[in-house]
């Protein structure tokens, strides 16, 4: 964004990469995939780079509102400094915090999740998928992330993207409003599970495997990690792959 | 005459005691923090009509939804029928509306009868579901003892209530042919026109009269019993669900409630000239330790809970054997409210905070301290297991939010007690120092170089 600002220009959209998207090996691939798509459709975008920090979501959900608000004020100063209007993010937690929690502290932006952007691009004809491509007839199951689905009510955008891939979408027994969490939300990602009978991600992986799908599609870097680990725990990593939606599109387009 | 007198005395006693008990509930709810909830009247009434009156969310489980609808509509229509019962009881008349309403009366009472019959079937199915089928959500740890008995008692009361309707109307049908001057013609009632003769044909007028009076009295007495049982029972939802849906939060689900006391401090960091936060103030309690720190809406939630357990059945933590059960959180809050309420009623000065005791100081919610708190009911292990997935919020048929108190109690743990899961401490310091929950030695934009 600093470079855009130096030239006195504004990109069409700010891509909020997020911590996982920046640092996590697996999530970085999603970040790069989304960049490829944005380039392919010719949508100008900027990133904050080193000026971006955690939105504060994990701190807030863990109970540390002090730290959350520190992060919020800091990020809002930066975003407002660049006069950002529109943000896309590949993380539903960042999406939720930017969209629903920052306005209270003076950060007002139009925030969309990357699956919503993909749906828009497909609907507008800017992003054309190859029918009968890589995924034709393949069974794909879709895992609703809590913060995109139940919390923000986005159920159809990701599904319509999957349909555009010409794949066979098979639903898990718990889906949409009833979807089962991967186990990472509420800062569980950053701690050991409380004592219990099973890990949540393994329970969810079981449900995904029951569908007989060979691909599990996700929309969240934490779900991606949890589902991958869950599939591994069931020793199915050779047969079943876990991908973010945008990665499936990149594969389809051969980008 | 004697019947009228007894009726008036019993009614006054039952209504008076009921009002007193409901007063206690109101008092207990107001033990919570004051919070203005209003505005958006359209959306609020929409929630009341769709979710409370319309039972919208009950139908996500349609078997339970349909049978619950039978009992619920029978309850609603019984309220209408009570108008006549009161008039008859006070003035010593019999079926006051029958002669004047004529055919309309037949339709209304037939409606009551059909719904009561359906409710009878539904009640049996609910008893079987609880006691024979043993649905797991009805047999979790928090359901042992009183909650289990409570549920069965309610169903039993309902059976008695319905039995009373049919003995009253059934005997009446036969009496109308014997003594039409007292027993007004009700027309052919949908159920008792065949059930009455089936059960009671061949009985003498005296016996029929006793059965009719038995039914009438049992009916009104069960209504009074219910009224006074509600404040002690999970069945309270039949009343409180309505205001609870009205006052349900309309802010986005993903927006946690702000902590203004924190905002003031944080703002003073960013803008020191705006004024220092006064340091001589008493250090506030951050988050929730006890019911006094919860919003009154959270307490209303707790009284609304009917322990159906849909929240717990959808909770990922509970499903995988963790101790957390959202229903238990709501039950614990209610138990703690009752506990505090009883202690306040005792007016015992031992519950006054030690440094505030003195001559002429009486116990109040402001100086209350019994050395206990919500943490005596709810353990950190439960709180820390929540993934904030909102499944419990989504599942609740009466718009209770069990997640809110969980997160507010986490705030107390972290901000006031500086305790919490050991893994979270390094996460906090990484965010604070490095801007990311993981401690990283590479730049946040390194991925750009790697991708090239």
């Amino acid at each position: 964004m600093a470079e855009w600002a130096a030239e006195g220009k504004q990109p069409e959209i700010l891509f909020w990469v997020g911590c996982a998207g920046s640092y996590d090996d697996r999530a970085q691939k999603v970040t790069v995939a989304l960049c490829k798509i944005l380039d392919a459709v010719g949508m100008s975008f900027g990133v904050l780079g080193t000026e971006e920090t955690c939105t504060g979501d994990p701190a807030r959900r863990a109970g540390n509102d002090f730290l959350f608000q520190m992060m919020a004020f800091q990020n809002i100063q930066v975003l407002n400094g660049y006069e950002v209007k529109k943000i896309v993010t590949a993380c539903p937690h960042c999406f939720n915090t930017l969209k629903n929690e920052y306005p209270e502290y003076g950060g007002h932006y139009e925030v969309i999740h990357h699956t919503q952007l993909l749906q828009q691009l497909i609907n507008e004809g800017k992003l054309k998928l190859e029918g009968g491509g890589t995924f034709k007839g393949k069974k794909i199951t879709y895992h609703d992330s809590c913060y995109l689905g139940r919390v923000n009510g986005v159920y159809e955008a990701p599904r319509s993207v999957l349909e555009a891939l010409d794949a066979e979408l098979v639903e898990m027994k718990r889906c949409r409003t009833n979807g089962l969490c991967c186990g990472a939300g509420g800062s569980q990602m950053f701690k050991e599970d409380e004592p219990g009978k099973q890990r949540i991600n393994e329970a969810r992986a079981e449900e995904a495997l029951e569908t007989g799908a060979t691909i599990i599609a996700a929309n969240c870097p934490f779900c991606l990690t949890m589902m991958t680990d869950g599939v591994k725990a069931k020793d199915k990593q050779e047969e079943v792959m876990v991908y973010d939606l945008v990665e499936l599109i990149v594969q389809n387009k051969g980008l | 005459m004697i019947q009228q007198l007894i009726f008036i005395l019993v009614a006054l006693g039952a209504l008076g005691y009921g009002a007193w008990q409901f007063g206690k509930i109101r008092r207990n709810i107001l033990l919570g923090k004051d919070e203005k909830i209003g505005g958006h009247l359209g959306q609020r009434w929409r929630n009341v009509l769709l979710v409370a009156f319309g039972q919208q969310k009950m139908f996500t489980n349609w078997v339970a939804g349909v049978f619950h609808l039978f009992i619920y509509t029978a309850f609603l229509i019984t309220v209408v029928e009570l108008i006549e019962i009161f008039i008859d009881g006070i003035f010593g008349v019999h079926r006051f509306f029958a002669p004047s309403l004529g055919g309309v009366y037949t339709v209304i009472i037939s409606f009551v009868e059909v719904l009561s019959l359906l409710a009878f079937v539904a009640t049996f199915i609910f008893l079987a579901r609880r006691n024979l089928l043993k649905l797991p959500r009805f047999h979790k740890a928090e359901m042992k003892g009183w909650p289990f008995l409570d549920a069965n008692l309610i169903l039993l009361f309902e059976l008695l209530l319905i039995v009373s309707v049919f003995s009253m109307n059934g005997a009446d049908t036969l009496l109308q042919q014997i003594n039409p001057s007292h027993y007004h013609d009700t027309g052919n009632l949908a159920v008792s026109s065949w059930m009455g003769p089936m059960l009671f044909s061949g009985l003498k007028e005296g016996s029929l009269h006793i059965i009719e009076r038995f039914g009438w009295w049992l009916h009104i007495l069960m209504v009074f019993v219910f009224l006074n049982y509600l404040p002690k029972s999970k069945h309270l939802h039949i009343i409180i669900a309505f205001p609870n849906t009205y006052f349900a939060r309309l802010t986005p689900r993903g927006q946690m409630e702000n902590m203004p006391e924190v905002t003031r401090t944080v703002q003073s960091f960013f803008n020191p000239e705006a004024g220092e936060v006064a340091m001589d103030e008493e250090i506030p309690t951050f988050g929730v330790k006890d019911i006094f720190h919860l919003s009154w809406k959270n307490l209303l939630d707790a009284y609304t809970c009917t322990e159906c357990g849909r929240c717990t059945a959808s909770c990922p933590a509970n499903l995988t054997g963790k101790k957390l059960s959202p229903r238990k959180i709501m039950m614990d809050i209610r138990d703690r409210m009752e506990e505090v309420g009883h202690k306040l009623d005792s007016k015992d000065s031992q519950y006054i905070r030690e440094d505030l005791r003195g001559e002429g100081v009486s116990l109040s919610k402001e100086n209350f301290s019994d050395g206990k708190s919500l943490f005596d009911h709810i353990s950190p292990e439960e709180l820390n297991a929540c993934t904030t997935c909102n499944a419990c919020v989504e599942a609740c048929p009466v718009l209770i939010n069990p997640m809110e108190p969980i997160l507010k109690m986490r705030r107390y743990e972290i901000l006031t007690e500086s305790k919490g899961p050991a893994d979270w401490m390094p996460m906090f310091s990484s965010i604070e120092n490095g801007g990311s929950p993981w401690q990283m030695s590479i730049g946040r934009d390194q991925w750009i170089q790697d991708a090239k």
Side-chain angles (χ1 to χ4, degrees), chain B residues 290-311:
Chain B
D290 208 349
I291 52 167
F292 307 103
H293 312 123
L294 284 167
S295 157
W296 65 269
K297 175 60 175 69
N298 299 132
L299 303 185
L300 185 71
D301 273 353
Y303 269 127
T304 309
C305 177
T306 196
E307 299 164 17
C308 74
R310 289 184 183 204
C311 51

Side-chain angles (χ1 to χ4, degrees), chain B residues 87-321:
Chain B
I87 294 175
D88 288 354
I90 295 169
F91 300 105
V93 290
H94 184 73
R95 294 199 182 255
F96 178 74
F97 290 116
S100 53
L101 291 180
V104 176
Y105 188 84
T106 311
V107 172
I108 294 174
I109 300 298
S110 292
F111 209 51
V112 172
E113 290 198 335
V114 171
L115 287 170
S116 297
L117 195 63
L118 290 172
F120 196 71
V121 175
T123 311
F124 265 108
I125 288 171
F126 282 172
L127 274 169
R129 243 160 48 111
R130 245 168 226 276
N131 299 287
L132 301 175
L133 287 179
K134 295 200 180 282
L135 280 193
R137 69 182 154 112
F138 294 142
H139 295 274
K140 295 270 176 185
E142 67 268 22
M143 294 307 284
K144 304 267 181 290
W146 166 245
F148 184 71
L149 178 65
D150 184 20
N152 278 326
L153 277 177
I154 294 160
L155 293 169
L156 190 72
F157 288 169
E158 265 163 22
L159 288 182
L160 286 174
L161 202 64
I162 298 167
V163 164
S164 74
V165 170
F166 290 119
S167 49
M168 173 172 88
N169 290 0
D172 204 275
T173 309
L174 295 176
L175 285 163
Q176 286 168 30
Q177 289 147 26
I178 301 170
N179 183 1
S181 63
H182 180 71
Y183 295 98
H184 306 298
D185 183 16
T186 57
N188 262 345
L189 297 177
V191 177
S192 53
S193 61
W194 54 269
M195 193 191 266
M198 191 179 85
L199 293 174
F200 310 124
S201 69
L203 292 180
K204 297 232 163 54
E205 187 185 350
S207 318
L208 287 171
H209 180 71
I210 291 172
I211 293 170
E212 195 277 333
R213 282 293 91 190
F214 165 80
W216 190 89
W217 275 101
L218 181 64
H219 186 66
I220 189 67
L221 285 176
M222 285 317 296
V223 169
F224 289 150
V225 165
F226 251 126
L227 179 74
N228 282 283
Y229 181 73
L230 288 181
K232 299 174 171 61
S233 161
K234 75 189 190 82
H235 209 46
L236 188 58
H237 80 291
I238 64 170
I239 295 172
I240 300 208
F242 294 90
N244 200 62
T245 51
Y246 180 86
F247 290 112
R249 289 213 193 294
L250 303 177
T251 45
R253 261 189 200 163
Q255 184 187 1
M256 273 176 69
E257 201 185 314
N258 186 30
M259 299 181 75
E261 63 275 34
V262 170
T263 310
R264 278 195 297 276
T265 315
V266 172
Q267 270 172 338
S268 73
F269 283 145
F270 282 88
N271 192 5
E273 291 102 62
E276 286 284 302
V277 176
M279 283 301 174
D280 52 339
E281 283 174 35
E282 198 179 344
I283 298 170
T285 303
F286 293 109
V288 165
K289 182 189 185 188
D290 208 349
I291 52 167
F292 307 103
H293 312 123
L294 284 167
S295 157
W296 65 269
K297 175 60 175 69
N298 299 132
L299 303 185
L300 185 71
D301 273 353
Y303 269 127
T304 309
C305 177
T306 196
E307 299 164 17
C308 74
R310 289 184 183 204
C311 51
T312 294
S314 68
C315 172
N318 193 278
L319 279 169
T320 53

Side-chain angles (χ1 to χ4, degrees), chain A residues 165-200:
Chain A
L165 284 170
D166 224 0
E168 187 194 340
L169 176 62
V170 279
E171 295 286 2
M172 289 183 246
K173 65 176 181 187
R174 294 172 201 266
C175 61
R176 292 193 164 86
T177 53
N178 200 25
L180 183 70
C181 175
C182 72
S187 254
Q188 299 296 327
M189 184 73 190
F190 307 101
K191 68 187 261 295
E192 282 303 314
D193 278 18
E194 299 302 318
K197 286 195 220 97
Q198 196 186 17
R199 283 172 173 277
I200 297 172

Side-chain angles (χ1 to χ4, degrees), chain A residues 23, chain B residues 438-444 446:
Chain A
Y23 293 121
Chain B
W438 299 284
Q439 208 178 342
M440 303 303 297
S441 53
I442 53 164
R444 202 176 173 97
Q446 183 63 41

Side-chain angles (χ1 to χ4, degrees), chain A residues 18-19 52 54 61-62 65 69 73 96 101 104-105 146-147 150 185-188 190-192 197-198, chain B residues 253-256 258 263 266 269 320-322 384 386-390 410-411 414 423-424 427 435 444:
Chain A
C19 301
E52 184 188 281
C54 174
R61 262 78 204 163
D65 221 50
Q69 293 194 24
F73 278 110
N96 177 68
E101 299 194 314
E104 191 156 15
Y105 306 100
C146 304
Y147 275 75
R150 221 167 6 242
S187 254
Q188 299 296 327
F190 307 101
K191 68 187 261 295
E192 282 303 314
K197 286 195 220 97
Q198 196 186 17
Chain B
R253 261 189 200 163
Q255 184 187 1
M256 273 176 69
N258 186 30
T263 310
V266 172
F269 283 145
T320 53
K322 276 85 178 171
N384 296 340
C386 175
T387 70
T388 72
C389 76
N390 277 269
R410 273 191 186 173
R411 285 173 167 177
I414 299 286
D423 296 333
W424 278 351
M427 184 261 288
R444 202 176 173 97

